[in-house]
């Protein structure tokens, strides 16, 4: 702190007989500070504490302090920590190791680039649900996943010892964002003499979930994450902050999922790309931390950088519930009160100034789903049947499948386990309680369990051919589902625990039965997936579910029992008793008060203590896994998972010049809402794709292909997987699929093959794209992939001859310029 120009604002704070120091921001900012949004106060503290007049300057501090008049001005921000999810954490650590290697070759000291900021590496392995609906599906899936991904796990276990200041959470422990919420988050760093707010960047877009706990955090690319690990600042624009005022209370039959889908649609309509959203108002007090985290989790879907809930007494209560250290909780409270970062949502005098204020009355929230192709296309459950039927005949688009009227009655019969069943448009074939959005929330998880109990006792069941699965976000969820007595009823409905991690939401639902696939494809059926996830982009969930709806865990079970989405729950029964009596959804739906009674009794600190006391130990397979030792990773040149990246080869001290575009060709002509799932799919690798051919040439069989998400440590696979989504619509071709037309030959090729041909011909390329290009997650590879498709050698990174050209006059694009 000796060189910090604001060292004079360091003040003492005594907590429990121990003296800490903190930067007295209220004294520094005066009335200006009181008007700052609470999220901006976190930015201010960081630039004040890290001001060295080199990477962070006094002008950065002045910009943040004068936030109301300085928005969209660039500043340097140093987050407190980094969290690396396995998917994008792999390339980050690979590049980091390559960086050490490059420094060694140049005669430097690689130890000097060891990470110097706390890093939480969570191996949130993506479990493929090959086994479901059986009591031992959890162990079967995890055994298979460990077999498939042993090489990746070995590499990451090496990284845990090669770098200092890094904590690793082994596979099988939970979804990265839930582990972050329940265990990793500090809220306030108190391990050193100086207290400061927790803040984080993570290599997954849903890092934003932690904002529900009052920790400022968002998703970043691998390169940005590495920079922070090396002690560098992130260059960012000082954002506009939208104040989202919440009033009222939720109806007894509305869930937090219904709320978040409502907010997602609302904010997407307003337009909050590149902005902070900060929630305030008396209605926030009615929301649990899990509710708030659910809202913050969906931040990428409504397009904001963060959806921030400042810390209040409910936050402190949650820290106690999740077995955080009491001494640290007292320190957290004392610091936040001293720095005026502790919020009382009922006190309007604390309300800061915002760029814009919008409002939502919780009483207006109704049961909802979102789909069939985008997470912000919310539909009230009461209107779901009519909406789906309209989608069938609407022209092909986000709300349309373009079916002819004469095809609406199509149906396909098939045999399954000795019985004959029939599918039609709207039939549910996948029903999954999955993803970090909802599995971290006890209210909806217990609600699903109570609904399953009531439905089972009424004699209702789920058809056996529907692929049902339950993937809890952490061991705590399994614990309270078991202790509350609802788990057996979930299992009876077919919702067995299939593993801990990202599953159906990221496309790892596993294969459907061949007879089902045959019935769907032969009859061109629009069959459905229903999941409690956060993403339902085209081609993401499963190749054979053309319509996918996001819903609360309760509604996932309801639609699974019904077996179709074109049902009006008010007038049509879920099913019938043995006596033929109709059972309606309202008869088995638990009220909010019922759910809260069970939650207060069974979600207790002892569960969190037991689960997280051994979270870093891992399974027996993890403990027995042998990993290399040493500071440099011994690269296996034959590996198809972990490939030494080429970014540091032939590096020069001077930046190469950007080459002008001359006689460029159009590689793709795309419309609006081309997401990162279209650009860089995370799901299964199609057998006829360039990536499949690459793997087959190396002796792998289709069952060994795994997923694009599991192979993000191999740039050769990822380059071939760029624009490989089966639902990509390229106007140059005119039909869905990862194809384009090569000019001037007019030959139809896979996108990668066309890019390779243009590369050989030394032809520059452009993309024509529309609104919201690049929205979604996996943005790191959505940027790298197009680069890699056109680069002749990787030391010419800045000479990449591809550029995205925005059409339709839209300005609010999530984008990268290539």
């Amino acid at each position: 702190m000796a060189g910090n120009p604001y060292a004079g604002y360091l003040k003492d704070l005594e907590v429990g007989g121990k003296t800490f120091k903190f930067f007295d921001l209220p004294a520094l900012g005066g009335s200006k500070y009181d008007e700052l949004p609470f999220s901006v106060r976190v930015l201010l503290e960081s630039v004040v504490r890290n001001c060295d007049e080199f990477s962070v300057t006094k002008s950065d501090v002045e910009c943040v302090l004068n936030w109301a008049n300085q928005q969209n001005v660039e500043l340097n921000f140093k987050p407190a920590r980094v969290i690396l999810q396995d998917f994008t954490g792999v390339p980050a650590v690979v590049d980091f190791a390559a960086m050490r290697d490059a420094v060694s070759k140049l005669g430097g000291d690689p130890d000097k680039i060891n990470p110097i900021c706390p890093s939480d590496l969570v191996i949130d392995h993506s479990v493929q649900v090959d086994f479901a609906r059986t009591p031992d599906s959890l162990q079967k899936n995890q055994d298979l996943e460990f077999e498939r991904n042993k090489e990746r796990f070995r590499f990451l276990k090496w990284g845990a010892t090669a770098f200092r200041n890094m904590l690793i959470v082994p596979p099988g422990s939970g979804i990265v964002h839930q582990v972050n919420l329940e265990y990793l988050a500090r809220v306030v760093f108190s391990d050193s003499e100086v207290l400061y707010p927790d803040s984080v960047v993570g290599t997954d877009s849903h890092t934003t979930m932690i904002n529900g706990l009052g920790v400022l955090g968002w998703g970043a690319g691998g390169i940005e994450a590495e920079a922070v690990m090396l002690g560098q600042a992130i260059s960012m624009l000082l954002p506009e902050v939208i104040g989202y005022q919440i009033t009222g209370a939720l109806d007894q039959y509305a869930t937090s999922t219904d709320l978040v889908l409502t907010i997602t649609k609302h904010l997407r309509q307003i337009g909050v790309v590149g902005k902070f959203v900060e929630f305030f108002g008396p209605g926030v007090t009615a929301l649990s931390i899990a509710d708030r985290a659910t809202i913050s989790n969906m931040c990428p879907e409504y397009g904001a950088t963060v959806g921030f809930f400042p810390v209040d007494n409910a936050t402190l209560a949650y820290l106690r519930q999740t077995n955080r250290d009491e001494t640290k909780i007292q320190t957290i409270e004392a610091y936040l009160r001293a720095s005026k970062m502790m919020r009382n949502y009922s006190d309007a005098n604390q309300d800061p100034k915002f760029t814009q204020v919008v409002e939502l009355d919780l009483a207006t929230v109704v049961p909802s789903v979102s789909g069939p192709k985008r997470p912000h296309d919310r539909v009230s459950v009461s209107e779901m049947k009519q909406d789906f039927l309209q989608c069938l005949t609407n022209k092909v688009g986000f709300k349309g499948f373009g079916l002819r009227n004469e095809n609406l009655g199509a149906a396909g019969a098939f045999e399954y386990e000795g019985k004959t069943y029939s599918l039609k448009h709207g039939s549910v074939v996948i029903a999954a309680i999955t993803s970090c959005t909802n599995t971290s929330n006890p209210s909806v998880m217990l609600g699903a369990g109570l609904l399953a109990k009531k439905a089972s006792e009424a004699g209702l069941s789920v058809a056996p051919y529907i692929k049902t699965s339950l993937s809890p976000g952490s061991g705590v969820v399994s614990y309270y589902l078991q202790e509350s007595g609802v788990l057996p009823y979930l299992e009876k409905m077919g919702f067995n625990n299939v593993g801990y991690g990202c599953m159906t939401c990221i496309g790892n639902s596993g294969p459907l039965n061949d007879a089902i696939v045959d019935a769907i494809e032969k009859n061109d059926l629009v069959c459905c997936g229903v999941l409690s996830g956060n993403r339902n982009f085209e081609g993401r969930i499963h190749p054979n579910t053309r319509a996918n709806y996001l819903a609360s865990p309760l509604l996932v079970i309801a639609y699974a029992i019904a077996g179709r989405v074109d049902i009006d729950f008010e007038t049509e029964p879920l099913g019938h008793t043995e006596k033929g009596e109709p059972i309606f959804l309202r008869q088995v739906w638990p009220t909010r008060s019922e759910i809260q009674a069970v939650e207060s009794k069974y979600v207790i600190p002892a569960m969190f203590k037991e689960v997280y006391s051994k979270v870093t130990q891992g399974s027996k397979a993890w403990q027995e896994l042998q990993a290399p030792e040493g500071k440099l990773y011994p690269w296996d040149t034959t590996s198809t998972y972990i490939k030494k990246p080429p970014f540091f080869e032939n590096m020069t001290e001077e930046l190469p010049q950007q080459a002008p575009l001359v006689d460029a060709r159009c590689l793709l002509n795309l419309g609006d809402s081309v997401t990162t799932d279209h650009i860089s799919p995370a799901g299964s690798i199609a057998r006829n794709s360039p990536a499949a051919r690459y793997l087959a040439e190396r002796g792998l069989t289709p069952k060994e292909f795994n997923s694009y998400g599991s192979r993000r440590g191999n740039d050769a696979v990822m380059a071939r997987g760029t624009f490989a989504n089966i639902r990509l619509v390229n106007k140059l071709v005119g039909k869905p699929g990862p194809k384009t037309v090569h000019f001037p030959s007019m030959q139809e090729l896979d996108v990668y093959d066309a890019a390779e041909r243009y590369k050989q011909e030394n032809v520059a390329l452009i993309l024509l794209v529309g609104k919201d290009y690049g929205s979604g997650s996996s943005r790191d590879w959505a940027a790298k992939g197009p680069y890699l498709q056109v680069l002749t050698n990787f030391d010419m990174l800045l000479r990449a001859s591809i550029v995205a050209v925005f059409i339709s006059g839209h300005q609010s694009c999530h984008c990268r310029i290539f």
Side-chain angles (χ1 to χ4, degrees), residues 402-593:
L403 298 186
R404 299 174 184 172
N405 289 327
E406 57 267 29
N407 294 334
L408 294 180
F414 65 97
E415 296 288 326
Y416 185 83
E417 295 182 348
K419 292 185 178 181
T420 300
Y421 298 92
S422 180
L423 297 177
K424 64 182 186 63
H425 299 305
S427 291
V428 174
V429 293
I430 290 177
I433 299 175
T434 182
S435 106
C436 47
T437 308
N438 290 286
T439 58
S440 64
N441 195 322
S443 66
V444 292
M445 296 299 288
L446 288 169
L450 290 172
L451 188 148
K453 181 177 185 292
K454 292 184 176 186
S456 178
E457 291 172 343
L460 301 179
S461 62
V462 176
Y465 66 83
I466 298 177
K467 190 156 194 177
T468 49
S469 60
L470 166 66
S471 51
S474 75
V476 173
V477 180
S478 297
Y479 205 142
Y480 64 66
L481 290 177
Q482 180 67 54
E483 291 299 306
S484 63
V486 299
L487 186 58
Y489 297 98
L490 287 166
E491 293 174 341
K492 192 173 182 180
M493 288 289 171
F495 290 89
N496 291 278
N497 184 352
V498 295
Y500 301 95
C502 294
M503 298 182 198
T504 300
C505 188
I506 200 166
N508 281 350
S509 58
L512 292 173
N513 183 273
D514 288 343
I516 296 174
V517 172
D518 191 55
I520 293 173
E521 292 181 345
K522 283 186 175 179
N523 297 280
D524 194 26
L525 298 178
V526 179
C527 287
C528 304
V530 184
L531 63 150
S532 65
N534 43 38
R535 299 253 165 81
N536 57 341
F537 302 129
E538 289 182 293
R540 180 182 177 98
I541 306 305
H542 194 279
N544 296 109
T545 58
R546 291 165 65 183
N548 295 283
Y549 288 93
L550 306 183
S552 69
L554 294 87
L555 284 173
V556 169
I557 294 176
Y559 281 111
I561 294 171
R564 58 192 176 97
V565 299
D566 56 339
I567 179 174
D568 181 349
F569 287 125
E570 284 298 314
T571 62
E572 299 177 71
L574 276 179
H576 296 81
T577 65
E578 292 182 356
K579 296 180 180 180
E581 299 171 344
I583 300 294
F584 290 86
L585 180 59
R586 57 181 173 269
Q587 295 175 258
V588 296
W589 190 275
T591 64
R592 178 169 278 257
S593 56

Side-chain angles (χ1 to χ4, degrees), residues 5-137:
Y6 298 97
Y9 287 95
L10 271 174
K11 300 293 177 63
D12 290 339
L13 180 66
E14 186 172 324
V15 185
K18 184 176 181 180
T19 301
F20 297 92
K21 292 188 179 297
F22 77 104
F23 280 93
D24 191 350
L25 300 182
L28 170 65
S31 60
K32 288 182 180 179
Y33 182 78
D34 293 339
E35 295 179 349
L36 289 177
F38 282 66
S39 53
V40 175
R41 297 179 195 188
V42 178
L43 295 178
L44 178 63
E45 193 284 333
S46 176
V47 292
V48 168
R49 176 169 39 87
N50 292 295
C51 187
D52 58 5
E53 290 293 10
F54 177 67
S55 61
V56 181
T57 67
K58 290 180 69 174
S59 63
D60 290 324
V61 174
E62 291 300 318
C63 281
V64 181
L65 194 55
N66 293 286
W67 165 82
N69 302 314
Q70 295 289 334
Q71 292 160 32
N72 292 320
V73 175
E74 189 172 331
L75 78 146
N76 291 319
F77 171 61
K78 287 189 175 183
R81 61 189 174 97
V82 178
I83 189 164
L84 303 174
Q85 186 201 29
D86 184 24
F87 294 153
T88 44
V90 169
V93 180
V94 170
D95 288 352
F96 197 27
M99 187 186 301
R100 288 179 53 86
D101 197 8
V103 170
S104 295
K105 289 180 179 179
L106 293 173
D109 183 358
D111 288 334
K112 290 184 178 179
I113 66 165
N114 261 342
I116 59 175
C117 119
S119 233
D120 301 313
L121 177 57
V122 180
I123 303 187
D124 176 22
H125 67 304
S126 176
V127 178
Q128 179 130 331
V129 189
D130 288 330
F131 301 98
R133 298 188 70 114
T134 59
D136 61 347
S137 55

Side-chain angles (χ1 to χ4, degrees), residues 6 94 104 155 205 219 374 429 498 528 550 588 662 700 725 764 784 815 817:
Y6 298 97
V94 170
S104 295
F155 172 79
S205 61
R374 296 190 301 185
V429 293
V498 295
C528 304
L550 306 183
V588 296
V662 179
L700 275 69
N725 189 301
K784 291 176 181 176
C815 64
I817 301 297

Side-chain angles (χ1 to χ4, degrees), residues 761-780:
E761 296 167 350
N762 200 27
V763 173
L765 297 173
I766 63 170
L767 307 178
L768 300 179
V769 304
K771 182 181 180 181
D772 293 333
Y773 173 82
S775 59
S777 63
S778 310
R779 298 182 191 178
D780 215 32

